[in-house]
């Protein structure tokens, strides 16, 4: 592969940016409307592509991909003009006459690397922020969702301004070649290993980055929880997209007094949602590839199966599976599962659960089911995570007014709503001053009397 193969493309994008092509409100609005039109006009094609990649039903694709994106775009369109306005800042008296402001400006040419598990949403949701902020962008869809990748490439060519937005398809080699180039910002969604590679590549160019990674998201179920609701919501959130969701609950910490009841209710919820044979359910997805199927199949040995456990390699099917009797040191607890396996651990006192969480890396999300507001406040105070949700799961990431992102090893940087606009913007400090008056007090020589007065002035009004 030729070195620096993407330099001509990036030169064209930089020229478009420097020419001011993406700067105006009209251009940004037109691109967002075109992206919305793509979602509406190509809804059937989107559903077919995601089904081909992940076996995901059209209904689930609408709920978790296209409807969220449409809402994100409409929210940006509603607020874009206000977001673009500079915000005035006051200046101290001794800097008069003048006024300060913070002006949001586009970063320039940005690289967005998408993930395969929600191949449309996780590619285009960052693009909404990039377009709203007035950037040129290069999109790199995941090669593990090839049908979605082809569709996204066609979207840019047919709907968006190809002088400012480009798509690069391919695998690791293409991603590495892109990261060898200099961008003004890199937005990456994926696993931690990929995040490390992005950071290493960015360091050579001193490029700013945002990393949306994963983690082992715990879900605490206290003994005062409404167990039937908890069971249904946990089963829905965990087995959505066959567990291939970065903010899915990765393991349960259940009070030992309610473990048996909760497991029975969860077994019933699996039956209600997917029937006696989830393999025939139109609403249950498949594992993305053979590598991940084999990895997940090995983890089935790390506990006692109380629901599911069936597999079918040819169709990459792994049943919704619940495991109990899981050891804290077992393989399934070492890293993010990212599949339809849910280990259940128990605790006697809440303090034990909080200590267990604190001893591990900061997750992307923490969930709690409890009827006590005091317990919710305690868990929130004693833990760290990118997000926290009490008595539900996943929906904290679907609200456009809430930033979405991680902390620690689960990533950094945020997007969704205004947070996406700000992530893809520079906050430029601006000061305009009058040339009059021009007091000699500011200039040397600074005699003792003059400096004493100047010191008092700065101390008083600084």
């Amino acid at each position: 592969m030729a070195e620096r193969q993407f330099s001509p493309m990036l030169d064209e994008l930089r020229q478009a940016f420097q020419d001011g092509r993406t700067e105006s409100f009209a251009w940004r609005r037109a691109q967002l409307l075109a992206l919305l039109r793509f979602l509406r006009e190509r809804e059937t094609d989107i559903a077919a592509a995601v089904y081909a990649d992940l076996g995901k039903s059209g209904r689930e694709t609408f709920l978790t991909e296209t409807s969220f994106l449409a809402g994100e775009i409409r929210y940006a369109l509603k607020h874009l003009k206000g977001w673009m306005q500079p915000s005035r800042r006051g200046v101290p008296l001794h800097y008069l006459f003048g006024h300060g402001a913070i002006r949001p400006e586009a970063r320039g040419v940005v690289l967005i690397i998408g993930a395969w598990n929600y191949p449309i949403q996780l590619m285009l949701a960052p693009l909404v922020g990039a377009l709203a902020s007035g950037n040129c962008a290069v999109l790199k869809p995941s090669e593990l969702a090839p049908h979605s990748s082809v569709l996204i490439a066609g979207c840019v060519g047919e709907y968006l301004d190809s002088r400012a937005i480009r798509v690069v398809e391919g695998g690791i080699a293409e991603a590495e070649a892109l990261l060898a180039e200099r961008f003004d910002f890199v937005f990456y969604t994926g696993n931690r290993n990929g995040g490390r590679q992005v950071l290493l590549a960015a360091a050579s160019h001193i490029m700013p980055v945002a990393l949306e990674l994963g983690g082992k998201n715990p879900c605490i179920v206290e003994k005062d929880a409404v167990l039937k609701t908890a069971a249904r919501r946990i089963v829905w959130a965990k087995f959505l997209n066959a567990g291939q969701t970065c903010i899915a609950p990765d393991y349960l910490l259940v009070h030992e007094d309610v473990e048996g009841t909760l497991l029975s209710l969860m077994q019933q919820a699996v039956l209600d949602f997917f029937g006696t044979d989830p393999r025939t359910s139109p609403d249950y997805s498949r594992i993305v590839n053979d590598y991940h199927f084999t990895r997940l199949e090995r983890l089935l040995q790390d506990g006692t199966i109380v629901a599911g456990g069936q597999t079918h390699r040819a169709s990459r099917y792994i049943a919704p599976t619940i495991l109990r009797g899981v050891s804290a040191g077992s393989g399934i607890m070492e890293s993010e599962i990212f599949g339809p396996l849910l280990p259940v651990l128990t605790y006697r006192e809440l303090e034990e659960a909080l200590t267990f969480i604190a001893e591990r890396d900061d997750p992307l999300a923490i969930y709690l089911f409890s009827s006590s507001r005091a317990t919710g406040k305690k868990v929130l105070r004693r833990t760290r995570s990118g997000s926290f949700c009490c008595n539900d799961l996943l929906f904290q990431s679907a609200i456009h007014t809430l930033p979405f992102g991680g902390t620690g090893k689960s990533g950094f940087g945020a997007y969704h709503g205004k947070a996406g606009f700000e992530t893809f913007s520079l906050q430029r400090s601006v000061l305009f001053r009058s040339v009059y008056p021009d007091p000699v007090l500011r200039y040397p020589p600074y005699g003792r009397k003059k400096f004493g007065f100047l010191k008092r002035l700065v101390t008083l009004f600084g």
Side-chain angles (χ1 to χ4, degrees):
M1 181 166 297
E3 192 174 350
R4 313 290 292 175
Q5 61 172 318
F6 296 117
S7 294
M9 176 187 72
L10 293 178
D11 289 342
E12 292 172 6
L13 293 175
R14 287 196 183 91
Q15 188 62 54
F17 180 76
Q18 291 168 6
D19 290 344
R21 185 174 185 84
T22 65
E23 185 177 3
S24 70
F25 170 79
W27 184 89
R28 303 180 196 197
R29 181 176 182 273
Q31 298 309 300
L32 291 171
L33 286 172
L35 197 58
L36 189 62
R37 186 162 55 88
F38 162 73
L39 296 174
R40 183 172 58 249
E41 294 178 354
R42 303 294 293 275
E43 182 178 345
T44 301
D45 296 333
I46 291 170
V50 176
Y51 179 81
D53 289 329
L54 289 158
K56 188 187 300 188
S57 73
R59 293 178 290 271
E60 187 174 315
T61 295
F62 173 79
L63 292 171
T64 62
E65 306 234 25
T66 53
S67 66
F68 170 79
L69 283 168
E72 186 81 347
I73 295 168
R74 287 192 291 265
Y75 186 84
L77 287 167
K78 181 179 179 181
H79 297 281
L80 180 58
K81 189 165 287 188
W83 292 347
M84 291 176 63
Q85 296 303 310
S87 55
R88 293 289 294 268
R89 294 291 189 273
V91 298
L93 183 63
H94 55 283
Y95 287 120
L96 295 178
F97 295 93
H99 67 268
I102 297 176
R103 173 184 164 91
E105 296 183 354
R107 290 182 177 272
V109 180
V110 303
L111 171 62
I112 303 174
I113 302 176
W116 55 262
N117 54 322
Y118 290 88
I120 305 298
Q121 184 207 133
L122 296 180
M123 187 78 266
L124 299 185
L127 180 61
V128 173
L131 293 174
S133 303
N135 293 279
C136 292
V138 176
L139 310 184
K140 169 60 181 70
S142 172
E143 71 279 9
L144 299 184
H147 299 86
S148 298
S149 178
V150 169
L151 187 65
I152 290 168
C155 156
V156 169
E158 184 176 349
Y159 290 87
L160 300 179
D161 183 355
S162 60
R163 288 183 59 185
I165 314 296
R166 302 287 179 86
V167 177
V168 172
E169 293 191 89
I172 294 175
E174 285 73 19
E176 290 177 346
L178 283 168
L179 288 168
E181 302 284 352
R182 181 184 63 81
F183 287 87
D184 298 298
F185 188 72
V186 179
F187 190 102
Y188 169 82
T189 304
N191 60 40
R192 291 181 181 179
N193 288 334
R196 290 188 186 96
Q197 297 306 311
V198 170
L199 279 177
L200 288 171
S204 65
H205 293 294
I206 317 181
M207 294 186 294
V209 303
L211 301 180
E212 299 296 337
L213 310 177
K216 293 194 73 64
N217 308 312
C219 178
I220 301 172
V221 182
E222 269 279 70
K223 59 182 177 181
D224 64 351
V226 180
L227 294 179
K228 184 175 181 179
T229 300
R232 291 174 64 83
R233 292 182 178 182
I234 290 168
V235 166
W236 170 79
K238 176 60 183 179
F239 301 121
L240 183 75
N241 198 29
Q244 299 165 120
T245 303
C246 62
I247 53 170
D250 204 75
Y251 62 96
L252 299 188
L253 289 167
V254 182
H255 194 284
E256 62 181 12
D257 290 352
V258 296
E259 181 196 21
T261 303
L262 181 68
L263 288 176
S264 295
L265 291 168
M266 289 172 65
Q267 288 172 307
Q268 184 60 49
V270 172
L271 183 65
D272 292 343
F273 297 167
F274 305 113
T276 56
D277 184 5
R279 185 178 169 187
T280 64
S281 169
D283 297 313
Y284 188 69
S285 303
R286 297 298 186 264
I287 307 305
V288 67
N289 59 27
D290 291 337
Y291 167 79
H292 286 290
F293 178 89
T294 301
R295 176 183 63 82
L296 291 165
E297 194 173 41
R298 284 198 298 265
L299 296 178
L300 286 169
Q301 315 303 317
D302 288 345
T304 302
I305 296 173
V306 296
Q310 300 83 11
T311 66
H312 185 260
R313 178 171 292 275
S315 60
R316 297 196 299 273
Y317 165 78
I318 297 179
T321 300
I322 302 169
L323 300 159
R324 72 184 306 182
V326 175
S327 166
S330 62
I332 201 170
M333 293 300 296
E334 288 181 356
S335 59
E336 185 180 12
I337 297 168
F338 221 67
L341 313 180
L342 182 59
V344 178
L345 296 84
T346 60
Y347 65 91
R348 294 179 181 177
E349 301 292 338
L350 180 60
E351 192 67 31
E352 182 184 344
L354 295 177
T355 300
F356 187 88
I357 294 170
E359 291 174 344
R360 286 154 177 80
D361 293 334
D362 296 338
L364 192 54
I366 291 176
Y367 301 107
L368 167 70
F369 282 89
S370 173
S371 297
S372 167
R373 181 175 291 271
T375 298
K377 291 181 178 179
K378 180 177 182 179
V379 173
L380 185 58
R381 185 178 67 252
R382 294 282 304 281
T383 60
R384 286 172 51 87
S385 60
S387 63
F388 172 81
C389 185
C390 186
N391 291 325
D392 211 338
L393 307 97
L394 308 191
F395 280 106
Q396 79 277 9
S397 71
I399 298 172
H400 305 300
T401 53
L402 292 179
F404 175 76
T407 183
K409 290 186 179 179
S410 61
F412 49 82
Y415 68 126
H416 292 180
K418 189 178 182 181
F421 176 87
E422 292 174 341
T423 288
F424 284 97
S425 298
L426 295 170
Q427 302 303 311
R428 190 177 187 186
S429 297
V430 177
L431 176 66
F432 286 97
R433 297 259 348 246
S434 170
V435 295
Y436 300 108
D438 188 33
V440 297
L441 189 64
R442 67 181 283 178
Y443 302 113
Y446 302 112
R448 186 169 64 179
K449 185 176 180 180
K450 180 179 179 181
F451 180 74
F453 179 75
L454 183 62
K455 184 177 180 181
R456 288 194 299 273
L457 182 68
V458 171
T459 302
L460 182 63
F461 296 109

